[in-house]
Amino acid sequence: MNKLELKIPPLLVVVVTAACMWLVTAYVPLVLVTFAGQLAIALVFAIAGFQIAVSGVRTCYAAQTTVNPLKPEDSNTLITEGVFKVSRNPMYLGFLLALTGFALWLGALTAVLWLPLFVLYMNRFQIQPEERALSQHFGEAYLAYQQKVRRWI
């Protein structure tokens, strides 16, 4: 299982998750849910997710550190400001919110079931290896940051 750690770009995981959500909605919808304002709420989630993810990327660029999630050891700055004050993984949080918006737009319970799978995959194969690398690279400063700021939100 360690072979999957830091191997698949998170954006590809998002695309595959969204495709799976769409496929299960199209072929195994089980429970369809529609409600007033569904599209508006879906858009709010998707836009908020996009903004949070972009904010994380911009903060990394401003700090002149890597945004490559497959090589966390290349980080040269521990960012604890901006959106990183709220989440240690704002890009992944943004992806999750965007996927939540997509699930709401699809309106199928089977689509929503992919959200916890996305979180489990990201925690195990992306975030935990990143945290190990950042702990080794930044030592006590990163451990203190972990104590102060939650992984997702």
Side-chain angles (χ1 to χ4, degrees), residues 76-99:
N76 58 18
T77 304
L78 177 60
I79 302 171
T80 60
E81 297 300 316
V83 72
F84 286 88
K85 275 186 169 180
V86 179
S87 172
R88 294 195 315 258
N89 299 284
M91 286 81 104
Y92 306 150
L93 174 60
F95 294 160
L96 177 62
L97 291 173
L99 286 170

Side-chain angles (χ1 to χ4, degrees), residues 1-76:
M1 286 300 240
N2 287 348
K3 291 180 181 182
L4 287 176
E5 287 186 351
L6 301 175
K7 298 292 187 220
I8 302 172
L11 197 52
L12 179 59
V13 176
V14 171
V15 170
V16 168
T17 302
C20 290
M21 292 165 73
W22 181 81
L23 286 169
V24 297
T25 299
Y27 296 104
V28 193
L30 293 183
V31 178
L32 293 174
V33 178
T34 56
F35 55 90
Q38 183 172 354
L39 176 60
I41 294 170
L43 278 171
V44 166
F45 271 90
I47 291 168
F50 179 77
Q51 288 181 330
I52 290 169
V54 168
S55 178
V57 170
R58 284 186 177 166
T59 303
C60 289
Y61 280 128
Q64 297 181 336
T65 192
T66 186
V67 293
N68 183 350
L70 304 182
K71 296 200 176 257
E73 66 277 2
D74 290 349
S75 296
N76 58 18

Side-chain angles (χ1 to χ4, degrees), residues 83-90 93 127 131 142 144-153:
V83 72
F84 286 88
K85 275 186 169 180
V86 179
S87 172
R88 294 195 315 258
N89 299 284
L93 174 60
I127 295 172
E131 289 177 342
Y142 185 73
Y145 175 62
Q146 278 185 306
Q147 294 298 315
K148 192 174 173 185
V149 179
R150 296 174 60 102
R151 182 180 276 171
W152 287 89
I153 192 165

